[in-house]
Amino acid sequence: MKKSKVIAIMNEKGGCAKTTTATALAYLLAKQGKKTALIDFDGQANTTLLMGVQNPNTLEVTISTLLNKIINEESLPPLDSYRIKTDSGVDLIASNSQLFSLERNLAGVDFREYMLKQYVDTMKQDYDYVIIDCMPQVGTPMVNAMMCADSLIIPTQAEILSAQGLQELVKHYAKIKRAGNTDLRIEGILITMDTERTIVSAQIKEMIDSTFGGKLPVFDTRIPRTIKVAEAAMYGKTICEYLPSSKAAVAYENFAKELLSHE
């Protein structure tokens, strides 16, 4: 059976370039010939929008639909009937606002922490990489993502409060690794929205190293702050598609190379 890798892009805090990272990484992996699926696991559906879907709430089948079928022990539709094949070569499993009810739908369900894993296990053999853009909140959906992932990438803003907020996420990771998904590992912390040559920028990695005793991996690549990322989103494109020569796009290419060097 084909060996695929499931990577969850996760942070409990919003506004840290989580979706930008997930979409850029999926695009770059597909560009390198890797069969790549991107699961939008956030009810805001920003990943779905960035991948070119104009109105996610009109979609008949989304990750919410699929998980509800698993919860109710119903058969899943064929993968080809709902995966959205994008121009970038990435296969999208879309989301919409229905996903906001997932926590409620999982209440009282036996083995509710494994619903996403059950779904991913049905489709991951078709891919080299499955990238999951996670919702920015603590709860059963976050546990679901950790239970099905092989590794985590944690984007964090180049700001003191954002870096300090990593501690709670790492605590949750440690519990899941100890009691549930023992193979789960942190691929690395990705510092985003970085402003070069500032005091804060220089202090962020030092703070992460001092907080976690140098045991938490941090990517060498940093993603610079640029308005071009927001411009790309307006056109429903990743920054790497919209302006490949921009500093952020070049940085994401370097990040993807660094990630693949871990293999």
Side-chain angles (χ1 to χ4, degrees), residues 48 58 62 123 137 146-147 171 181:
T48 299
T58 64
T62 63
M123 50 78 78
Q137 65 187 62
M146 286 192 183
M147 290 302 296
K171 285 179 183 177
N181 186 357

Side-chain angles (χ1 to χ4, degrees), residues 23 46-54 86-88 229-239 241-242:
T23 54
N46 289 333
T47 285
T48 299
L49 291 163
L50 268 180
M51 299 307 287
V53 178
Q54 294 186 353
T86 68
D87 293 339
S88 65
V229 171
E231 284 184 18
M234 289 175 60
Y235 291 95
K237 293 183 177 182
T238 69
I239 183 61
E241 293 173 279
Y242 177 70

Side-chain angles (χ1 to χ4, degrees), residues 35-214:
K35 292 199 68 177
T36 306
L38 177 59
I39 298 176
D40 188 350
F41 197 49
D42 188 344
Q44 296 179 84
N46 289 333
T47 285
T48 299
L49 291 163
L50 268 180
M51 299 307 287
V53 178
Q54 294 186 353
N55 191 347
N57 285 327
T58 64
L59 295 173
E60 291 186 9
V61 180
T62 63
I63 188 63
S64 178
T65 314
L66 298 165
L67 292 177
N68 283 333
K69 285 185 175 296
I70 288 175
I71 290 168
N72 295 318
E73 299 183 355
E74 299 173 2
S75 298
L76 294 175
L79 182 58
D80 278 332
S81 71
Y82 63 82
R83 61 181 166 187
I84 298 172
K85 292 190 170 294
T86 68
D87 293 339
S88 65
V90 176
D91 285 358
L92 173 69
I93 310 302
S95 180
N96 60 22
S97 59
Q98 292 178 2
L99 194 65
F100 287 128
S101 64
L102 179 62
E103 184 90 54
R104 182 177 70 249
N105 294 343
L106 288 171
V109 175
D110 291 337
F111 307 109
R112 58 184 174 273
E113 299 87 357
Y114 292 89
M115 296 297 106
L116 182 60
K117 176 175 171 53
Q118 283 191 47
Y119 168 69
V120 171
D121 284 349
T122 70
M123 50 78 78
K124 68 180 184 180
Q125 69 274 3
D126 281 18
Y127 298 98
D128 298 308
Y129 288 90
V130 177
I131 308 299
I132 306 174
D133 181 21
C134 303
M135 58 185 73
Q137 65 187 62
V138 181
T140 309
M142 184 190 77
V143 175
N144 266 259
M146 286 192 183
M147 290 302 296
C148 81
D150 297 305
S151 65
L152 309 178
I153 292 173
I154 307 174
T156 185
Q157 269 185 277
E159 294 181 359
I160 301 298
L161 292 177
S162 182
Q164 288 175 336
L166 291 173
Q167 294 184 65
E168 286 303 310
L169 178 56
V170 173
K171 285 179 183 177
H172 288 121
Y173 156 77
K175 289 179 181 178
I176 295 297
K177 184 174 177 64
R178 183 171 60 250
N181 186 357
T182 56
D183 294 327
L184 182 64
R185 67 188 181 95
I186 294 178
E187 201 81 49
I189 307 298
L190 178 66
I191 297 172
T192 64
M193 302 184 190
D194 187 43
T195 305
E196 296 177 303
R197 296 183 294 276
T198 63
I199 294 174
V200 171
S201 176
Q203 290 177 335
I204 292 300
K205 186 175 186 302
E206 182 181 338
M207 172 183 289
I208 293 172
D209 286 344
S210 63
T211 301
F212 299 102

Side-chain angles (χ1 to χ4, degrees), residues 9 17-32 36 38 47 50-51 88 90 131 190 223 229 237-241 248-249 251-253 255-256:
I9 314 296
K18 180 177 55 62
T19 294
T20 302
T21 299
T23 54
L25 177 58
Y27 169 81
L28 291 167
L29 289 171
K31 186 180 175 183
Q32 293 192 34
T36 306
L38 177 59
T47 285
L50 268 180
M51 299 307 287
S88 65
V90 176
I131 308 299
L190 178 66
I223 310 301
V229 171
K237 293 183 177 182
T238 69
I239 183 61
C240 299
E241 293 173 279
Y252 272 118
E253 286 204 25
F255 158 65

